[in-house]
Amino acid sequence: MTLSPGTRLGPYEITAAIGAGGMGEVYRARDTRLDRNVAIKVLPPSLSGDADRLARFEQEARATSALNHPNILTVHDIGSHGGAPYIVTELLEGEELSAILRHGPPGVRKALDYAQQIAKGLSAAHDRGIIHRDLKPDNIFVTPDGRLKILDFGLAKLRVERADPAGSELETRKALTTPGVVMGTVGYMSPEQVRGKEADHRADIFSLGVILREMLTGARTFTGESSIEVMNAILKDEPPEMSETHPSVSAQIDRLVRRCIEKKPEARFHSAHDLGFALEALQAPSTSGARAALPAGPPERARLSSNRIAWSLVAVFAMATAGLGWLARMKGQSSPDPPVVLTIELPAHVTFTAAQSDSIRISPDGRLLIFTGQSKEGVRQLWIRPMDSLDARPLPGTENPLEPFWSPDSRHIAWGAQGKLKRLEVAGGSPRIICDAARLVGGTWNRDGVILFSPDFNRGLYRVAAGGGAAEVVTRPDTTRQENSHAAPEFLPDGTSFIFAGGPTASREVMTGSLDTAEVKVLGPGIRATYAPPGFLIYAKDGSIFAQPFDAKLRTLGGSPVRLLELEGPLQAGGANQGIILSASETGVLLVQRSFTPESQLHWFDRRGNPLGAIGPGVRLAVTPAPRISPDGKSVAMQNRENRDDTRGIWTIDVSRNVSVRLTTNSGQYPVWSPDSRRLAWLMGFGKLGIWSRQSNGLGEPELLLEAGASAGGNTFPADWSADGRFILYHTRGERTRVDIWALPVAASGRKPFPVVASEFDDMHGQLSPDGRWLAYRSDISGTYEIYVQSLTEDLRAGDQRFRISSDGGSQPRFRRDGRELFYLSRRGELMATQVRATATTFTYGTPIPLFKPKTLPLGAEPTYEYDVTKDGQRFVIGTILEGPHATPPKPVILIGWEQAMSSAGSGRSARPRP
């Protein structure tokens, strides 16, 4: 609401606008009753509907009106206009302290005078049980005659006085600060405010110390490129001695400021009253003509009288300051606080699913975030967001990205897409191809322009010049140790040695190697790790994030690990990002993002998306259910995961009775039915990896049809079983062809697999038409994933016809079993249908139309399906995300001040994510 001159608010007539801030709009007005000029702060109607903001505004009015002190803004009245509350205060002439400081420091004498006036105002407020909690130069007003007024008690928190000093302290009103929510203004906040803890009057003393230091030096006390870095500095940095850089500032003044800004509240001045006396002593002349020395001592000492401070100039006070301050700090270190854990808000118009193929990283300089996000239009690409802003912008040319990582100067990013390793300058420009990378599984970039990366699953690490060229092998998985891949590398500070994720599949390890030698060694168990200055290894293990001292030169661990963060449930030791993302800036900010799999269950839907009931087991946690309806329509097969670990199994569900039976006992993914509905084939992930088959009723022993490694790419993912029963289609990864579609003859006498579609692109989701003469599949040959139909010969070789069916992205094609329709999911997640007519030599299709948008799981690059369709095309079985606490991906979190927690080894203390 903008008020124009002449507007009346009761007896007050608006004459001019003064300004606006986070807590309201301020106007000059005339009090027509008392014929005086006043100031009016109005909370706009657009914000008065916010209960929290309204409560803060009303609290400011109550807090300020309860005070009557020359150094605090006087409140005359409160009221409401058009549903918007307002406060009437005295009208001040002059300027804010922040405006004065923009012209330089005001001088030592004036700075001390200003600080003493602020201390007097705070003392009066604290005596009434009111804490400001947002003291900063913007909230301090200086009149032309040099008087200071404290403004904006909008973040003040009322507390009651104890009738009995030993009694409990109960609040008379609900606290407006939720634990973990940072209140106040970055740069002037106390450490306890940064940590989201209860803040008492000593938080104001800390803020006043920060302001006084700025008035004396002309520079901010705690600085950084982002608000996160500033908070980190507040928690761990000790400002340099002022007397060394500013000769006009005496050592006594420096000690006073240092006592104000002690990290532990108990080490600061006991009260603003004591601080005011100390400031008065610094300005009072002694009997010898010298300035008074600063009294110091532990916070528990009794309050000193003004005379004692002013005239008892015993030298031992100054001599004892350093020792007592050291004791106070040592006392604070005996029980260090856990790290501050803050969630990162991403733009509402961008979806961050935290799926296995999504990623988020903080830049080395700590200023930027790069993350995978999907727009409302369905475009999945990289986005960049400054740490001190909620705005994010997409990076053109980064569609369908994998595992982004930063250059050491924070100016470039690299990522995987379309079988290539690419790079881009974040300030602008076009993407450049560095080299081939079938399916990037992590990368790192050193200051010498060398990139170390994992080009695909089941591969080692390779090096390549950041400018492009041929990639060279650096490490190979040790098959004698049951290693199948090296992934997620990260250079150490020397730019030659590195850490990475390796070890056996069932028990992942943090490992280390060097560009100068092929030798690698194990550092210890862990899923993924990152290096954090000045010398720590941060790693994930057993559902927690740990930190341990690490000598990066010798590549050895030392000391004991400290648990920094507890996660909900164990981590998955699999997938593209191993279930966790860890990223640390050179400034000490640590980012943690856990991969997310929401709870889901199979449901039936009609063609309009109307639910027809649940099917199968109760809620389970699965990567994707991958449902398959048997050709006879009597059963549904699905993959499932009973626990929160990565052990999956194949289940069959009797549709008529809704009874489920487990087919595999230790592992199983991606089931497909034989055309007679009597057998199932699937991928076995543990034991002997490959495609297995068994009777669908669970009888008989499983049979190995194809061992992984015998095919071109190593991994095998069943996709379909031909209607004549002769072939099983599967996906496989090739060295240079990325994901291809192959065929496996089922007959024992001729099981020699061969390629059906093997291009340089990502060809997946292969599905055969009922007559076996046409193949529908997904490919990114055009730059985005689209649906294509390829002609086939009788022996399943690729023919000479190909059609593009989708026009705006597509995945997961499914033929209706009578061959009359083709279904797929659009990139917006809509279930699409198109009429088709196929013969042995011709294929025609209509315009795809949307049916409905199911709530399916985020698949990313998964080679599986979230739905299947009945023979008549009238019902769909879909793995549907369930509502509830596990339906929303966890937000990325950052940890600051975690280095201080390293001294709590063995204490069992750790942090939990907080809003």
Side-chain angles (χ1 to χ4, degrees), residues 266-308:
E266 59 268 22
R268 300 173 202 149
F269 282 94
H270 181 71
S271 67
H273 195 65
D274 285 353
L275 173 58
F277 282 148
L279 287 164
E280 182 182 349
L282 285 175
Q283 300 180 81
S286 69
T287 54
S288 62
R291 290 288 179 188
L294 171 65
E300 295 78 13
R301 59 184 301 193
R303 178 177 296 180
L304 301 177
S305 68
S306 57
N307 287 337
R308 182 177 178 185

Side-chain angles (χ1 to χ4, degrees), residues 454 456-460 476-487 501-506 508 573 578 685 689 715:
S454 177
D456 199 357
F457 294 114
N458 302 321
R459 303 280 290 278
R476 297 183 187 275
D478 185 351
T479 56
T480 64
R481 299 182 63 241
Q482 286 76 51
E483 283 189 348
N484 65 357
S485 67
H486 291 165
T505 303
R508 301 296 284 174
Q578 305 295 300
L689 179 66
N715 283 339

Side-chain angles (χ1 to χ4, degrees), residues 69 71 108-124 140 146-148 150 208 211-212 215 256 272-284 291 306 309:
H69 191 275
N71 296 119
V108 174
R109 184 179 295 275
K110 186 168 288 187
L112 293 175
D113 175 57
Y114 285 171
Q116 187 176 2
Q117 291 189 59
I118 298 171
K120 289 179 180 179
L122 289 178
S123 180
I140 298 170
R147 286 186 300 114
L148 264 67
I150 303 175
L208 176 50
I211 294 170
L212 175 55
M215 288 192 292
L256 180 142
H273 195 65
D274 285 353
L275 173 58
F277 282 148
L279 287 164
E280 182 182 349
L282 285 175
Q283 300 180 81
R291 290 288 179 188
S306 57
I309 291 180

Side-chain angles (χ1 to χ4, degrees), residues 353-431:
T353 65
Q356 287 283 359
S357 53
D358 282 351
S359 188
I360 182 168
R361 299 292 177 84
I362 189 171
S363 60
D365 62 13
R367 300 176 60 189
L368 300 169
L369 291 173
I370 192 80
F371 67 94
T372 307
Q374 182 168 299
S375 67
K376 291 183 178 180
E377 293 72 33
V379 179
R380 184 174 172 275
Q381 63 190 129
L382 291 177
W383 293 70
I384 194 165
R385 201 211 88 172
M387 285 291 287
D388 56 356
S389 171
L390 290 179
D391 294 329
R393 62 180 174 89
L395 295 178
T398 62
E399 288 74 18
N400 300 312
L402 297 169
E403 294 281 331
F405 57 95
W406 288 93
S407 64
D409 60 5
S410 303
R411 294 176 54 193
H412 300 80
I413 56 165
W415 74 100
Q418 295 180 287
K420 306 293 182 182
L421 177 61
K422 301 182 178 183
R423 61 177 287 181
L424 174 71
E425 185 174 0
V426 295
S430 300

Side-chain angles (χ1 to χ4, degrees), residues 599-624:
E599 293 183 343
S600 68
Q601 188 175 20
L602 294 180
H603 284 74
W604 289 108
F605 294 87
D606 64 17
R607 290 178 69 94
R608 294 185 177 181
N610 298 314
L612 302 176
I615 179 175
V619 175
R620 295 290 187 267
L621 288 170
V623 173
T624 51

